[in-house]
């Protein structure tokens, strides 16, 4: 160490030394004060701040003592400060390596899960590309045939218009049909071969038995879609208008006066005294709604809300899902193993609605609504892959039936409180000393009475082969959008 005593004695030298030391001390202190805790980890910041403060204190003492940098000061710096700096760097490097390891593991797991999905999507896009190429070639062949036809058409047009009408069908048949037929046959053969190669699914004995069991019940789970009915809900806005008979008379009087030709299949009571009109088609119900709006008394019609409900989306049921599987886990698992369940942007074509307890207490059945345009795709599948198994899939047609009065269209919760509990076999009130008289379905009995049907009544109200229940399923199918 060398003291700068000679320099500090002079006036000019003393001022220069003092200003230099003040500048160094102030810059270091300003840097310490500018440190921001948010720029460092919670554990590292106090250690770094303490190290800088010790350095500032040590440096200030050296400057105040008037010492120049030498061997002793260098050793003091190393012993007091620089050795203390190495553990700080080691701790920071350890945290960085730990963070990088976690990020690498996350990237690796994400890449592995996405890789299989991307491969599957790539395979799907290649199939779509091949199909589009086949369609393009077919269109090219057709356009070539049409170009060959145009000169012939001009010649016939110049000769005789009547001759043109007679010869045109045969010309088109001879020129275009063979090429179109050949192209279509080749495309169909490729599609069939591809399907056979990629969809080899052997049905088990249990699946065949379940299928035949459904057929024996008299109703196929995949009833063919029929022409949709038209439905109009007329809901009272005021609780005072809760008399169904009064509201029914108001609506039918308007139709009878202004549109007697309107075709109404049924007038049904709904909750709150409202009226449900059922017509043969959506066009018929639209005409009825316009009649009510145009010719109905404005003050009267303002008390009602006219609602045309949306058609029901097709539903499927997924059997025997383990009870511990939650909705989110089931959805992501189905999307990962079944490519056709989502579009190119990975947007699902289905929505999980609710679960139903299964016979096995360890499993639930899940009901899902699907995109109507994908109905045929779902219908062709006997099951969906999930994790390392395949869950059985079937169409689900939900029928609301009260377990108190056994009528259709509502559940026990929505049943009239004045109704008493009926026997599901004979239909009589189930009192304390009730004695069942045997099977006598009240729904088929009412249908025979009101609709003049000829249904057998020697079965329970809950019989799956009940003709009235089958009729209700047909009505649900009519009110379902199958994307046709």
């Amino acid at each position: 160490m060398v003291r700068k005593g000679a320099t500090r004695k002079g006036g000019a030298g003393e001022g220069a030394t003092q200003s230099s030391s003040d500048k160094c001390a102030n810059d270091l202190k300003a840097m310490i004060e500018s440190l921001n805790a948010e720029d460092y980890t919670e554990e590292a910041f106090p250690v770094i701040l303490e190290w800088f403060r010790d350095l500032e204190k040590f440096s200030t003492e050296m400057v105040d003592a008037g010492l120049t940098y030498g061997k002793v000061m260098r050793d003091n710096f190393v012993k007091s400060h620089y050795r203390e700096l190495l553990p700080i760097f080691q701790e920071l490097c350890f945290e960085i390596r730990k963070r990088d390891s976690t990020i690498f593991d996350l990237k690796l797991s994400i890449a592995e899960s996405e890789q299989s999905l991307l491969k599957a999507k790539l395979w799907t896009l290649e199939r779509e590309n091949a199909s589009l190429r086949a369609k393009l070639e077919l269109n090219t062949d057709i356009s070539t045939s049409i170009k060959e036809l145009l000169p012939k058409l001009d010649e016939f047009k110049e000769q005789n218009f009547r001759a043109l009408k007679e010869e045109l069908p045969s010309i088109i048949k001879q020129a275009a049909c063979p090429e179109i037929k050949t192209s279509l046959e080749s495309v169909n053969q490729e599609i069939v071969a591809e399907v056979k190669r990629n969809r080899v699914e052997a049905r088990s004995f249990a699946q065949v038995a379940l299928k035949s069991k459904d057929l024996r019940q008299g109703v196929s789970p995949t009833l063919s879609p029929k022409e949709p009915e038209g439905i109009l809900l007329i809901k009272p806005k005021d609780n005072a208008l809760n008399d169904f008979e009064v509201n029914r008379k108001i609506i039918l009087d308007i139709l009878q006066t202004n549109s007697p030709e309107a075709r109404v299949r049924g007038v049904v009571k709904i909750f709150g005294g409202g009226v449900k009109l059922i017509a043969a088609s959506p066009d018929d119900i639209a005409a009825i709604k316009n009649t009510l709006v145009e010719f109905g008394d404005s003050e009267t019609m303002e008390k009602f809300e006219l609602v045309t409900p949306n058609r029901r989306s097709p539903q499927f049921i997924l059997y025997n899902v383990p009870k511990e599987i939650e909705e989110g886990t089931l959805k992501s698992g189905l999307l990962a193993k079944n490519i056709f369940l989502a579009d190119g942007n990975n947007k699902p074509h289905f929505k999980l609605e609710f679960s139903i307890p299964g016979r096995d207490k360890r499993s639930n059945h899940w009901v899902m609504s699907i995109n109507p345009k994908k109905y045929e795709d779902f219908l062709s599948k006997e099951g969906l892959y999930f994790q390392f198994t395949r869950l059985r899939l079937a169409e689900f047609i939900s029928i609301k039936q009260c377990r108190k009065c056994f009528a259709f269209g509502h559940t026990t919760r929505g049943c009239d409180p004045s109704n008493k509990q009926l026997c599901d076999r004979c239909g009589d009130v189930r009192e304390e000393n009730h004695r069942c008289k045997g099977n006598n379905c009240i729904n088929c009995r009412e249908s025979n009475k009101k609709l003049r049907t000829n249904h057998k009544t020697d079965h329970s109200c809950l019989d799956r082969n009940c003709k009235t229940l089958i009729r209700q399923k047909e009505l649900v199918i009519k009110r379902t959008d199958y994307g046709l």
Side-chain angles (χ1 to χ4, degrees):
M1 303 278 189
V2 180
R3 294 182 178 276
K4 297 194 293 184
T7 307
R8 295 176 64 184
K9 291 181 181 180
E14 182 178 356
T17 304
Q18 186 67 24
S19 63
S20 177
S21 64
D22 290 341
K23 182 176 184 303
C24 291
N26 290 339
D27 288 347
L28 183 57
K29 190 172 183 180
M31 185 186 71
I32 295 172
E33 292 175 351
S34 65
L35 291 176
N36 187 359
E38 297 179 356
D39 296 336
Y40 308 89
T41 61
E42 296 181 359
E43 297 81 3
F45 181 73
V47 179
I48 295 173
L49 183 62
E50 182 181 1
W51 186 88
F52 271 109
R53 286 176 176 172
D54 292 344
L55 177 62
E56 193 272 338
K57 181 179 179 182
F58 179 81
S59 302
T60 302
E61 291 177 354
M62 295 299 101
V63 173
D64 291 343
L67 301 177
T68 58
Y69 187 82
K71 181 178 180 181
V72 176
M73 182 180 291
R74 178 197 65 191
D75 295 340
N76 288 339
F77 264 116
V78 171
K79 293 176 181 179
S80 301
H81 298 284
Y82 293 155
R83 284 180 180 175
E84 299 296 329
L85 187 61
L86 290 177
I88 297 174
F89 287 155
Q90 291 174 352
E91 182 66 23
L92 290 176
C93 291
F94 174 76
E95 292 294 333
I96 291 173
R97 287 196 299 270
K98 182 179 178 181
R99 181 204 62 189
D100 291 345
S101 176
T102 302
I103 293 174
F104 178 79
D105 292 341
L106 289 174
K107 287 183 176 179
L108 184 60
S109 62
I110 292 173
E112 290 176 351
S113 62
E114 289 182 351
Q115 186 176 7
S116 61
L117 184 61
L118 290 175
K119 286 183 178 180
K121 288 187 175 181
L122 180 60
W123 182 87
T124 304
L125 292 175
E126 288 177 351
R127 301 282 76 75
E128 292 179 357
N129 185 25
S131 177
L132 292 174
R133 287 182 178 275
K135 292 180 180 179
L136 182 60
E137 293 176 358
L138 178 62
N139 291 334
T140 303
D141 294 341
I142 294 174
S143 62
T144 303
S145 301
I146 293 175
K147 289 181 180 179
E148 295 176 357
L149 286 173
L150 290 177
K152 295 183 179 181
L153 292 175
D154 292 336
E155 293 177 3
F156 282 110
K157 185 177 179 180
E158 292 176 358
Q159 294 176 2
N160 195 316
F161 178 74
R162 183 176 299 175
L164 176 62
K165 290 179 64 177
E166 296 175 355
E167 296 293 335
L168 183 59
S170 60
I171 294 173
I172 295 176
K173 183 177 180 180
Q174 293 174 3
C177 289
E179 296 181 8
I180 296 174
K181 182 179 179 181
T182 304
S183 301
L184 289 175
E185 287 178 351
S186 61
V187 172
N188 289 334
Q189 290 174 358
E190 293 177 0
I191 293 174
V192 171
E194 188 67 26
V195 170
K196 288 182 178 179
R197 284 197 302 269
N198 294 282
R199 189 177 180 272
V200 181
E201 298 180 355
R203 293 194 297 173
S204 64
F205 174 79
Q207 290 173 331
V208 175
L210 288 170
K211 190 71 174 180
S212 61
K213 180 181 177 182
D214 291 337
L215 292 175
R216 289 195 301 270
Q217 292 170 356
V219 181
S220 172
T222 55
L223 294 172
S224 58
K226 299 181 180 180
E227 291 297 326
E229 290 182 329
I231 298 177
L232 178 63
L233 304 180
I234 305 171
K235 301 179 180 180
K237 297 180 180 179
D238 191 352
N239 293 332
L241 301 173
N242 59 358
D243 191 332
F244 165 71
E245 294 298 334
V246 174
N247 298 334
R248 176 178 178 275
K249 186 176 185 306
I250 292 173
I251 300 303
L252 294 184
D253 286 347
I254 297 174
L255 294 178
Q256 181 63 34
T257 304
N258 302 284
S259 183
E261 73 281 359
R263 300 185 299 172
V264 178
R265 287 186 174 180
V267 182
V268 183
K269 178 182 177 181
I270 60 177
F271 182 79
V275 179
K276 178 169 74 172
L277 298 180
I278 304 174
S281 67
D283 293 337
D284 290 337
I285 211 67
I288 292 173
K289 183 177 180 180
N290 292 335
T291 300
L292 295 176
V293 173
E294 183 177 356
F295 297 102
D297 182 62
S298 59
E299 295 183 2
T300 303
M301 297 310 299
E302 285 179 357
K303 299 178 182 179
F304 296 94
E305 180 182 5
L306 304 182
V307 179
T308 304
N310 294 328
R311 297 175 65 190
R312 170 183 174 271
S313 295
Q315 290 184 336
F316 282 78
I317 184 168
L318 202 59
Y319 291 99
N320 299 324
V321 180
K323 185 169 288 187
E324 64 272 11
I325 300 298
E326 297 180 353
E327 179 179 348
T329 304
L330 178 60
K331 181 179 180 180
S332 59
L334 292 174
L335 289 173
K337 293 294 182 74
N338 305 272
I339 301 303
F340 76 96
L341 292 180
D343 59 12
N345 297 322
N346 209 28
K347 181 179 178 181
H349 291 308
F350 70 96
K351 177 184 177 183
L352 294 174
E353 297 290 353
F354 56 88
S355 61
I356 303 173
R359 292 184 179 179
D360 186 352
K361 296 182 179 180
R362 298 171 297 176
S363 63
N364 288 331
H365 308 321
W366 276 90
V367 175
M368 61 173 65
S369 297
I370 67 167
N371 183 350
K373 296 181 179 179
K374 297 295 178 179
Y375 172 75
E376 294 294 337
D377 294 340
F378 277 80
L379 194 61
S380 64
K381 304 295 181 182
E382 295 182 356
L384 297 180
Y385 291 98
F386 176 72
Q387 293 181 353
F388 296 101
T389 186
R390 192 176 74 160
L391 304 174
R392 190 164 65 88
L393 182 73
E395 186 175 4
F396 180 74
I397 302 176
S398 176
I399 305 297
K400 289 184 179 180
Q401 185 175 14
C402 180
R403 288 300 187 268
K404 185 178 181 182
C405 68
F406 299 102
F408 297 108
H410 66 274
T411 59
T412 306
R413 183 180 298 179
C415 189
D416 191 339
S418 62
N419 291 340
K420 296 182 179 180
Q421 178 66 52
L422 302 181
C423 175
D424 63 296
R425 297 186 64 194
C426 65
D428 291 342
V429 177
R430 180 179 290 176
E431 298 176 336
E432 185 176 354
N433 298 324
H434 170 70
R435 297 182 62 182
C436 185
K437 300 176 183 179
N439 288 330
N440 187 7
C441 177
I442 57 176
N443 291 318
C444 289
R445 190 173 64 199
E446 289 295 319
S447 177
N448 293 339
K449 180 179 177 181
K450 294 181 179 180
L451 304 179
R452 297 185 179 182
T453 55
N454 191 24
H455 299 331
K456 293 183 179 180
T457 61
D458 56 346
H459 56 268
S460 167
C461 302
L462 302 178
D463 192 337
R464 297 181 66 181
N465 292 324
C466 174
K467 296 296 183 181
T468 311
L469 175 62
I470 295 174
R471 172 59 180 165
Q472 292 296 321
K473 290 185 177 182
E474 291 176 350
L475 292 176
V476 171
I477 291 174
K478 285 185 177 181
R479 295 161 189 170
T480 301
D481 181 9
Y482 290 99
L484 301 178

